[in-house]
Amino acid sequence: DLGSWSMPICGTCVKPTNLTDYIKLQETSLKLGNFSVTAVCTITGAVVNATPCSKDGQSYNFPRCGMCLTAASTPAGVSDVKEFSLSMTNFSVVGKCESSGGAFEATPCSKSGAAYMFPAACEVAPRLCTTNHGNSTPCCGHVTYPEGFDDSKYVCPASAPDCIGYEGSTKFGTCTHQTAAKTGDCATNHGEKEACCGKHYASAGDADPRYICPASMPYCFGYEPGKHLGSCLNMTSATSGHCSTHYGETKACCGVDDYAKPADADPRMACPSSKPLCTGYSPGKSYGTCKAPEGWTASTKTEDQSETLSQFR
């Protein structure tokens, strides 16, 4: 019965001369019909299948390591697509949602050589931004826009007016209806124009008004320029009764391994010499209270202070 017979696929592929960014090549079979070749992409660490050659004697191919391909088609309602980066490790492709006029980010591919995708309903995707609602200049302490970032579609709408997290050409911000300081991130005390905590701003972005603490939580604790933002608290220092560190020490008190957050490690969270012991600090649950041992006096010599305090820690 020749009805089900088909001509076998003949031919053998050869190894390509350039395998940039691939290691651990496994050529299980180079024959067309049962071709099987894999390698590991050094950028993503993923195992990638090679594409067989189209005829005998040609080289097989791998997709560009760690790179997405342009989407085969753009969904209805999405236009003005800009591909800033197709790298899986630093992916940035945006398009304009016609229904809202805002910019939304595509979803990166899951493996090298696959196409990225846009959300089916772009109006529900997180809106990307560079500019606060009602403004014509960039947010977050930036003075000028990088090329291509000054489009009106990156301006936040009235419903979510604040652009948080914009970092110039390296990262878009996200529109929100709440300032960063109200969620805990800060670099400046309420009512002030300079960095808190005796520091200097690490970047213009840290000086953005959205990193100023609100009146309800006016004090910024734990800001470390270039490392992390601080947290807004409703206290001036440990002298108001809240603490995490014994007087004269730089590690968490009360037998705990570490602080719950950078703000707790702020030097102002250490007890004063008049009430040197911090008791009751429970990371992530409650602050402690500064107390003085019986007969304690802040005028005691330093070596005597240490000996006295060691009896209570």
Side-chain angles (χ1 to χ4, degrees), residues 69-215:
L69 297 180
T70 298
S73 62
T74 302
V78 175
S79 63
D80 194 19
V81 176
K82 291 185 178 179
E83 297 179 337
F84 293 105
S85 172
L86 294 179
S87 169
M88 294 176 66
T89 57
N90 189 32
F91 181 82
S92 181
V93 175
V94 300
K96 181 179 179 180
C97 183
E98 299 292 350
S99 61
S100 65
F104 300 89
E105 193 161 28
T107 302
C109 56
S110 58
K111 60 181 181 180
S112 297
Y116 62 76
M117 297 181 294
F118 276 97
C122 62
E123 63 272 11
V124 300
R127 182 159 179 166
L128 304 179
C129 59
T130 62
T131 309
N132 297 321
H133 176 70
N135 289 1
S136 59
T137 56
C139 74
C140 313
H142 295 280
V143 179
T144 59
Y145 295 104
E147 183 178 356
F149 280 55
D150 58 346
D151 197 293
S152 61
K153 67 175 175 285
Y154 302 131
V155 179
C156 288
S159 59
D162 301 308
C163 184
I164 300 298
Y166 170 54
E167 298 179 4
S169 61
T170 61
K171 181 184 177 184
F172 284 103
T174 303
C175 295
T176 178
H177 65 278
Q178 192 173 39
T179 63
K182 288 183 179 178
T183 65
D185 293 334
C186 62
T188 310
N189 294 324
H190 177 72
E192 297 183 3
K193 296 182 179 180
E194 301 293 334
C196 75
C197 318
K199 310 290 186 180
H200 296 285
Y201 296 119
S203 66
D206 289 2
D208 191 278
R210 278 149 187 77
Y211 297 133
I212 299 175
C213 288

Side-chain angles (χ1 to χ4, degrees), residues 247 296-311 313:
Y247 168 69
W296 171 263
T297 171
S299 62
T300 306
K301 292 181 180 180
T302 302
E303 58 268 23
D304 294 334
Q305 287 180 342
S306 299
E307 183 177 350
T308 303
L309 293 177
S310 64
Q311 302 173 24
R313 293 173 181 166

